[in-house]
C-alpha cells in the first residue's frame, strides 16, 4: 500500500517549497494520479533553531510537536523536516510522534559514504548544526571524515543563509567561493549543503563543486519509503 508524506515545514518556507518541488520532480509519474499525497504544515512561527541551541533562545519543540500532531492526525504515514538544524531536536519529536521520521542527516551521511567512501567532506551548515555536532556524529557512524568551517568562514555562511531567508539578492558570491576554496585546501573533497537554504544558494551561484544536497537525498528517501519510484 502506498504511503503519504507529512512535511514539518516553515524552517524556512522557501526550503519547504524546495523540498516539495524536488519530491514532485523526482517522482517517477506519468500523470497527476501517480504522485504521492503530501501534507505540508508550513509553520514559519517555529522559533529559530540555531538561537535555541547556542544562546538560550525560545524552545522550538512545542511548535514542532504541534506540527507533528497535526500532520499525524490528518493522515501522514511518515514525517520529514526540511531543516538540518532542527534535527538536533529530532529525538524529542520521535518520542511523541505516532508515525516514523526519516532523518535527513542519517540519509545524507549514508549517501556520502555510498558516493565517496571515506573521502573527507566539507560541512556547510548553520552555527547551531556545527556546534551541536549532529552531522559530525552521523558522518562518523559512516566513517566519513568531516572538515568544518573555521570561525570566519562560519560567519560568512551564516550571513548568506540568513540572506536567503530574508529574500535578499545582494548576496556575496565571492565570499562564498572563498570559503569553499579554503576548505578544499584543508582537505575537503566535496561538500554537504547542510542547511536547506544552501542548495538554493548553490543554484543561484551556479556552483561547479561537487556537492551533496540533503534536500535531494531526503526527497529520494521519502519517495522510496512511500512505495514510489525515483525518476532516473
Amino acid at each position: 500500500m502506498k504511503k503519504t508524506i507529512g512535511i514539518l515545514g516553515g524552517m524556512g518556507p522557501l526550503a519547504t517549497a524546495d523540498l516539495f518541488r524536488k519530491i514532485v520532480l523526482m517522482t517517477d509519474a506519468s500523470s497527476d494520479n501517480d504522485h504521492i499525497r503530501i501534507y505540508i504544515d508550513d509553520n514559519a512561527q517555529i522559533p529559530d533553531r540555531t538561537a535555541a541551541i547556542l544562546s538560550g533562545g525560545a524552545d522550538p519543540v512545542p511548535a514542532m510537536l504541534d506540527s507533528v500532531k497535526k500532520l499525524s492526525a490528518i493522515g501522514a504515514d511518515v514525517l520529514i523536516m526540511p531543516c538540518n538544524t532542527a534535527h538536533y531536536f529530532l529525538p524529542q519529536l520521535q518520542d511523541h510522534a505516532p508515525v516514523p521520521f526519516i532523518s535527513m542527516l542519517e540519509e545524507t551521511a549514508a549517501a556520502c559514504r555510498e558516493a565517496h567512501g571515506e573521502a573527507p567532506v566539507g560541512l556547510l551548515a548553520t552555527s547551531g548544526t556545527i556546534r551541536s555536532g549532529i552531522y559530525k556524529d552521523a558522518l562518523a557512524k559512516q566513517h566519513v571524515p568531516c572538515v568544518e568551517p573555521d570561525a570566519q568562514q562560519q560567519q560568512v555562511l551564516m550571513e548568506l543563509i540568513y540572506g536567503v531567508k530574508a529574500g535578499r539578492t545582494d548576496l556575496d558570491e565571492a565570499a562564498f567561493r572563498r570559503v569553499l576554496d579554503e576548505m578544499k585546501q584543508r582537505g575537503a573533497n566535496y561538500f554537504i549543503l547542510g542547511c536547506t537554504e544552501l542548495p538554493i544558494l548553490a543554484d543561484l551561484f551556479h556552483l561547479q563543486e561537487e556537492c551533496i544536497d540533503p534536500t535531494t537525498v531526503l526527497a529520494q528517501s521519502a519517495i522510496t519509503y512511500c512505495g514510489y519510484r525515483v525518476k532516473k
Side-chain angles (χ1 to χ4, degrees), residues 180-194:
L180 300 183
D181 288 341
E182 291 166 0
M183 292 180 69
K184 283 190 284 188
Q185 291 172 15
R186 292 169 48 213
N189 287 35
Y190 63 107
F191 295 92
I192 293 174
L193 302 174

Side-chain angles (χ1 to χ4, degrees), residues 46-218:
I46 296 174
D48 186 275
R49 284 66 59 201
T50 294
I53 294 170
L54 297 184
S55 56
D59 184 1
V61 172
M64 294 164 75
L65 284 175
D66 181 66
S67 288
V68 168
K69 180 179 178 180
K70 287 181 168 65
L71 291 166
S72 302
I74 204 171
D77 295 311
V78 65
L79 301 177
I80 54 178
M81 291 191 297
C83 176
N84 293 269
T85 310
H87 282 69
Y88 175 81
F89 305 98
L90 182 58
Q92 296 178 63
L93 302 181
Q94 288 173 318
D95 286 344
H96 297 89
V99 297
F101 272 87
I102 299 174
S103 168
M104 175 186 277
L105 275 63
E106 291 178 3
E107 296 295 321
T108 298
C112 289
R113 174 72 185 207
E114 182 178 352
H116 298 280
E118 296 184 9
V121 62
L123 176 59
L124 309 175
T126 66
S127 299
T129 297
I130 296 292
R131 189 80 62 85
S132 70
I134 52 176
Y135 247 121
K136 197 169 185 178
D137 290 345
L139 290 165
K141 291 176 183 178
Q142 296 289 338
H143 305 287
V144 177
C146 178
V147 178
E148 297 181 337
D150 63 25
Q152 185 174 2
Q153 293 161 353
Q154 190 59 41
Q155 183 177 351
V156 171
L157 291 173
M158 289 300 287
E159 290 175 359
L160 290 166
I161 288 166
Y162 281 93
V164 173
K165 286 181 179 292
R168 284 172 42 198
T169 57
D170 59 338
L171 302 173
D172 192 341
E173 180 177 351
F176 186 48
R177 292 188 180 278
R178 281 196 299 272
V179 169
L180 300 183
D181 288 341
E182 291 166 0
M183 292 180 69
K184 283 190 284 188
Q185 291 172 15
R186 292 169 48 213
N189 287 35
Y190 63 107
F191 295 92
I192 293 174
L193 302 174
C195 172
T196 41
E197 275 69 38
L198 289 174
I200 299 166
L201 198 69
D203 288 342
L204 180 66
F205 292 161
H206 304 290
L207 290 189
Q208 299 301 311
E209 282 81 5
E210 187 164 2
C211 297
I212 299 286
D213 172 8
T215 307
T216 296
V217 173
L218 183 60

